[in-house]
């Protein structure tokens, strides 16, 4: 608190266990490298500072024209990949280090266990995690929002309530079964999942819903409650980080002015003069030292 102004940091901000473990594993690969190149299959985690650190250690993105030898190592991103992609990477015959978060693997297992059913996957269709998960079943439809889910249900249901012609089977990509399950991206907005449950009930859509939002995501979304009384908030994290975007969107419903920054230099550019109580929240892929620098910068500005 300074001159009646204060900075509040949301609980559970910054690196989650899955991201911390992935980064640690990748750094260990770099430290223990004897020979060969290290390639990254996708961005390890969606954060520019982490990507810069790995790049400085000589890790390179695996590209279409990359020449991979048996002495090289490929690191699989925390968001995971499809079985087909894994099979392709294994064909190089080099060492594979899998940094997929165990909680993303758990979602993949849930999909695999239900692959004879029709699956609705709630999440961002262009996100790496969803792209990887879609490879675990041929019966998946992705819905990014409630309107898409409603359309999806309407397109397959005639009348579940009266058990009449329960499925039109209009989608040739989906199997013959009438059993449906709903699974979600690990970083989904928990309110979306709740609303999906309400919608299914309302439409008498008998899907089994698996709450696969990870505990770290729930803790970070729940932590935003601590910022409700702020008149401005700064969300810290990569601009292409899905979980950071979710925090940015959610806090915007409560706090009149929200800024999104990736680092302390961007935080230094923000005009916080009109605000008294400033909240800070950071995505699960934001390193703690980046969060600390942003906190210091904002504290300096309001001192
Ligand atoms: S946000 Fe959740 S699923 Fe994603 S890496 Fe962290 S713990 Fe794993």
């Amino acid at each position: 608190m300074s001159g009646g102004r204060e900075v509040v940091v949301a609980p559970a901000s910054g690196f989650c266990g899955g991201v911390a473990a992935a980064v640690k594993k990748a750094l260990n690969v770099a430290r223990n490298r004897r020979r060969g190149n290290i390639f990254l299959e996708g961005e390890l985690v969606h954060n520019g500072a982490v990507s810069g650190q790995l790049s400085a250690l000589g890790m390179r993105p695996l590209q279409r024209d990359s020449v991979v030898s048996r002495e090289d190592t490929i690191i699989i991103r925390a968001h995971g990949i499809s079985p087909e992609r894994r099979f392709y990477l294994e064909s190089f015959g080099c060492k594979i280090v899998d940094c997929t978060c165990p909680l993303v693997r758990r979602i993949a297992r849930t999909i695999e266990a239900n692959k004879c059913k029709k699956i609705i996957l709630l999440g961002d269709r262009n996100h790496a995690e969803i792209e990887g998960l879609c490879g675990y079943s041929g019966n998946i439809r992705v819905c990014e929002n409630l309107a898409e889910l409603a359309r999806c249900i309407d397109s397959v249901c005639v009348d579940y309530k009266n058990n009449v012609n329960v499925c039109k089977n209009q989608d040739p990509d989906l199997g013959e079964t009438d059993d449906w399950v709903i699974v979600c991206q690990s970083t989904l907005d928990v309110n979306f999942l709740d609303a999906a449950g309400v919608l299914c009930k309302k439409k008498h859509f008998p899907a089994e819903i698996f709450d696969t939002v990870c505990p770290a995501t729930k803790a970070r979304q729940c932590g935003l409650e601590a910022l409700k009384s702020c008149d401005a908030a700064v969300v810290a994290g990569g601009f292409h980080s899905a979980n950071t975007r979710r925090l940015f969107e959610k806090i915007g419903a409560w706090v009149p002015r929200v800024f999104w920054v990736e680092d302390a230099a961007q935080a230094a550019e923000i005009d916080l003069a009109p605000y008294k109580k400033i909240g800070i929240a950071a995505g699960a892929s934001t390193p703690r030292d980046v969060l600390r620098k942003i906190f210091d910068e904002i504290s300096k500005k309001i001192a």
Side-chain angles (χ1 to χ4, degrees):
M1 175 102 60
S2 166
R5 304 178 77 200
E6 89 182 279
V7 183
V8 182
V9 180
S13 284
F15 264 17
C16 62
V19 165
V23 173
K24 190 173 170 192
K25 219 169 177 180
L27 292 176
N28 277 342
V29 172
R31 281 190 200 109
N32 299 326
R33 168 166 47 174
R34 297 280 168 266
R35 53 180 186 265
N37 298 308
I38 304 173
F39 292 103
L40 291 167
E41 164 64 4
E43 199 177 9
L44 183 72
V45 301
H46 288 153
N47 185 271
V50 174
S51 298
Q53 190 184 6
L54 301 180
S55 169
L57 290 168
M59 299 190 195
R60 297 283 170 263
L62 181 67
Q63 287 170 332
R64 219 175 258 271
D65 56 356
S66 299
V67 179
V68 183
S69 78
R70 287 179 173 268
E71 293 192 334
D72 296 337
T73 303
I74 297 175
I75 297 180
I76 295 176
R77 63 194 178 203
H79 315 96
I81 55 173
S82 68
E84 195 185 358
R85 182 69 184 169
R86 182 181 296 269
F87 185 72
Y88 169 73
L89 297 183
E90 284 170 356
S91 72
F92 289 119
C94 66
K95 186 175 174 192
I96 307 265
V97 176
D98 189 353
C99 291
T100 307
C101 175
L103 297 177
V104 175
R105 269 196 234 127
R106 197 179 63 177
I107 303 175
R109 282 199 300 275
T110 303
I111 291 175
E112 265 196 314
N114 289 282
K115 67 180 175 195
C116 57
K117 300 176 184 169
K118 291 172 182 154
I119 297 170
I120 294 174
L121 184 51
L122 304 181
D124 308 317
R125 60 172 55 79
N126 294 322
H127 190 274
E129 179 183 326
I130 295 289
E131 285 172 2
L133 290 173
C134 280
Y136 284 85
S137 165
N139 288 345
I140 294 183
R141 273 189 186 186
V142 178
C143 292
E144 290 198 330
N145 50 51
L146 211 55
E148 278 189 18
L149 177 63
R151 277 199 298 278
C152 175
I153 294 174
D154 289 345
S155 73
V156 295
C157 288
V158 172
D159 190 344
Y160 273 102
K161 189 181 181 186
N162 298 314
N163 205 22
V164 178
N165 189 16
V166 291
C167 183
K168 292 178 188 169
N169 270 335
Q170 287 177 330
D171 191 335
D173 293 337
L174 297 175
E176 288 302 311
T177 174
D178 286 334
D179 293 331
W180 287 84
V181 298
I182 294 181
V183 180
C184 40
Q185 187 173 355
S186 62
T187 53
L188 198 78
D189 181 342
V190 288
N191 291 343
F192 178 17
L193 181 60
D194 291 345
V198 172
L199 184 72
C200 288
K201 266 202 188 118
K202 196 170 137 203
K203 289 184 174 286
H204 307 288
F205 183 57
E208 186 181 358
I209 300 179
F210 290 91
D211 176 358
T212 51
V213 179
C214 82
T217 296
K218 288 179 180 169
R220 277 151 192 75
Q221 292 181 9
C222 192
L224 295 181
E225 303 260 338
L227 309 188
K228 271 186 169 174
S229 59
C230 294
D231 51 356
V234 177
V235 176
F239 290 139
H240 49 313
S241 156
N243 72 84
T244 306
R245 181 165 51 79
R246 228 80 78 187
L247 298 181
F248 179 77
E249 289 166 355
K250 282 179 86 68
I251 193 69
W254 299 320
V255 175
R257 187 71 173 96
V258 187
F259 303 90
W260 183 346
V261 299
E262 284 197 316
D263 54 35
Q266 290 170 7
E269 298 295 312
I270 303 173
D271 178 13
L272 291 173
Y275 310 108
K276 267 188 146 10
K277 189 171 178 183
I278 296 118
I280 302 178
S285 45
T286 308
R288 294 277 154 85
D289 61 325
V290 172
L291 174 58
R292 161 59 58 184
K293 284 180 190 153
I294 290 171
F295 173 82
D296 290 345
E297 192 58 52
I298 290 172
S299 302
K300 213 162 64 189
K301 281 170 89 74
I302 70 155

